[in-house]
Amino acid sequence: MIYIRSLFVGVLGSLLALASPAPAAQSSFSGSLHVIDGDTFDVGDVRVRLFGVDAPEQGQTCGGDGTPQWSCGAWVTDEVRARYDGRRARCERLDTDRYGRAVARCSVDGKDMGRTLVSEGLLFAYRDYSMDYDLDEKRAAVRGVGLHGAQVQRPAAYRAETRRAANAAALEEAPEGCVIKGNISSKGARIYHSPGQQHYGPTRIDESEGERWFCSAAEAEAAGWRPARR
């Protein structure tokens, strides 16, 4: 009887453990900060995308209309690195993005990094996600500080334009009438990308690796490929 009771308790404990939800991602964390680019950092061992702001892409250039082109994306990264690299940051996780990064509000010495960098004209308020730094950006623009003193395209517009150009180039490479890309991921997943999707332009087809073009989504799915999520 004792053996049966012990076995029952053990089985019940295992079932409860399986039913228990996994622990939630840590909401608050801190650590030494390592700058990846203007709005992306490692804080300790956590990759962070700073909440509510947007930085020029690393390869983005600014200028035009008579103004010389210059590497504003790389400049912003250097400026943010000079201010923050190696310092201790405290962060509050608000979300997790599709790349697995913690979307977080972070501070150094008690000062909100997003607000500081937007106020100095190094980052833009990302109004699609938050209006928290809207007035800070407007004040920086009036003062003409940082990026606001140059011909600069907002990062989101630059990314959209880059995707359109990549998509157009990809369509020129496609066999006539067969524009769907059947890609094989590093994990062996067979995924097809249609024109207009986020990763259509950058995706390259290597037929020697079993990748191929399709003339329709139905053809791709019949061959065992699934649609890309974005």
Side-chain angles (χ1 to χ4, degrees):
M1 180 65 71
I2 294 174
Y3 170 76
I4 293 173
R5 185 180 296 114
S6 299
L7 180 62
F8 173 76
V9 171
V11 170
L12 180 61
S14 298
L15 290 173
L16 288 173
L18 289 172
S20 298
Q26 186 179 8
S27 59
S28 298
F29 55 94
S30 60
S32 179
L33 189 150
H34 172 64
V35 174
I36 306 300
D37 60 30
D39 54 24
T40 306
F41 323 113
D42 286 337
V43 177
D45 58 358
V46 181
R47 180 62 54 91
V48 172
R49 173 61 167 86
L50 199 60
F51 169 76
V53 298
D54 204 12
E57 297 297 311
Q58 277 284 76
Q60 186 172 344
T61 58
C62 298
D65 294 334
T67 304
Q69 294 283 330
W70 59 290
S71 301
C72 55
W75 175 76
V76 166
T77 297
D78 289 343
E79 290 293 313
V80 175
R81 184 172 287 129
R83 287 163 171 74
Y84 290 116
D85 209 68
R87 300 179 69 181
R88 188 167 186 82
R90 298 184 62 85
C91 300
E92 184 73 24
R93 182 193 294 262
L94 304 176
D95 200 356
T96 301
D97 71 9
R98 62 180 178 273
Y99 304 110
R101 301 175 298 186
V103 179
R105 194 190 305 275
C106 297
S107 62
V108 171
D109 292 338
K111 295 181 179 178
D112 184 320
M113 290 178 63
R115 191 172 307 283
T116 298
L117 292 170
V118 171
S119 296
E120 293 180 1
L122 296 174
L123 303 184
F124 293 92
Y126 208 167
R127 296 181 180 90
D128 288 351
Y129 295 94
S130 170
M131 294 297 289
D132 286 6
Y133 306 119
D134 173 65
L135 293 178
D136 299 287
E137 184 190 302
K138 288 174 178 174
R139 283 190 285 265
V142 169
R143 290 160 48 218
V145 297
L147 294 168
H148 300 291
Q151 293 285 341
V152 59
Q153 186 178 30
R154 295 188 75 87
Y158 170 82
R159 289 192 294 268
E161 186 176 286
T162 302
R163 282 196 298 272
R164 285 193 295 270
N167 287 345
L171 287 171
E172 290 181 4
E173 298 172 5
E176 185 175 355
C178 301
V179 298
I180 292 177
K181 296 180 174 183
N183 175 245
I184 301 176
S185 75
S186 59
K187 296 181 179 179
R190 294 172 179 253
I191 302 168
Y192 70 84
H193 301 262
S194 300
Q197 289 191 294
Q198 181 175 353
H199 299 295
Y200 181 83
T203 298
R204 294 289 175 262
I205 298 302
D206 185 346
E207 294 183 354
S208 69
E209 295 293 329
E211 298 176 332
R212 53 180 290 196
W213 295 90
F214 292 102
C215 300
S216 68
E219 180 188 359
E221 291 177 15
W225 265 256
R226 68 164 176 81
R229 295 187 177 91
R230 295 178 181 273

